Amino acid sequence: MPKFQTRRQVSHSAQRMFNLVADIERYPEFVPLCQSLHVRGRQMQGEQEIVVADMTIAYKMIRESFTSKVTLRPQPREILVEYLDGPFKHLENKWSFLPVPGKGEDVCEVSFYIDYEFRNRMLSGLMGAVFDKAFHKFSSAFEQRADRIYGAA
């Protein structure tokens, strides 16, 4: 079962990075492999927002869509993604955004974790290496997006 985890400091506040990652409708503009994203629905549950969305990932001739439940938790600045339907046996991922003590408000640590497994072995063989490369680029893709929107440090 492939897993990927990274932590990196970025020169943007935890709140700004949370807001940027929470803006899932914009993912097709900059997220590796994300061809399209459609939000099916949103609802508030107390302080957190639940979003159900369909994402289509594409690489060369391969195109797959899946549905996820995204929980946006402004406090403690976490985003949880749970798999609902599609080509995976399972998929879960988590983002967290924490201020870095002693670095000021404009620096935070972004943590990204994903654990997934394709249902189909052939698809797993075709997409496994591509997914690994894409996940290694995720953090930098979001950091570059933040630099474009909020300005580079």
Side-chain angles (χ1 to χ4, degrees):
M1 292 185 284
K3 294 180 185 179
F4 178 75
Q5 184 170 359
T6 184
R7 293 176 192 257
R8 71 191 280 152
Q9 284 187 21
V10 299
S11 297
H12 299 284
S13 73
Q15 188 61 53
R16 281 185 164 183
M17 291 305 294
F18 173 87
N19 293 343
L20 186 127
V21 176
D23 189 11
I24 64 174
E25 290 92 344
R26 299 278 187 219
Y27 283 13
E29 297 174 19
F30 69 97
V31 172
L33 303 181
C34 181
Q35 183 179 57
S36 66
L37 192 135
H38 171 74
V39 172
R40 288 186 182 193
R42 294 178 178 271
Q43 82 180 70
M44 295 300 295
Q45 287 185 352
E47 295 294 314
Q48 63 186 21
E49 183 176 12
I50 308 296
V51 182
V52 175
D54 297 322
M55 178 184 280
T56 299
I57 53 173
Y59 179 74
K60 296 186 180 181
M61 299 300 289
I62 300 169
R63 187 177 162 190
E64 293 287 339
S65 296
F66 62 96
T67 305
S68 297
K69 173 183 159 186
V70 181
T71 303
L72 306 172
R73 300 176 65 202
Q75 290 302 325
R77 289 191 198 98
E78 290 180 338
I79 298 172
L80 309 172
V81 181
E82 299 171 68
Y83 174 70
L84 297 177
D85 187 43
F88 296 97
K89 189 179 278 187
H90 79 274
L91 177 137
E92 72 172 290
N93 88 300
K94 177 181 177 180
W95 291 87
S96 64
F97 312 88
L98 298 170
V100 178
K103 296 280 187 166
E105 287 185 28
D106 292 332
V107 175
C108 77
E109 180 181 86
V110 177
S111 295
F112 173 76
Y113 167 82
I114 189 161
D115 179 6
Y116 69 96
E117 183 177 2
F118 285 102
R119 207 180 294 273
N120 178 307
R121 282 189 170 185
M122 184 186 302
L123 186 60
S124 180
L126 290 170
M127 293 295 286
V130 174
F131 261 52
D132 285 345
K133 287 179 184 175
F135 293 140
H136 282 87
K137 294 179 182 178
F138 262 40
S139 293
S140 60
F142 282 92
E143 186 175 358
Q144 289 167 9
R145 174 81 172 172
D147 287 348
R148 281 194 302 277
I149 290 173
Y150 305 127

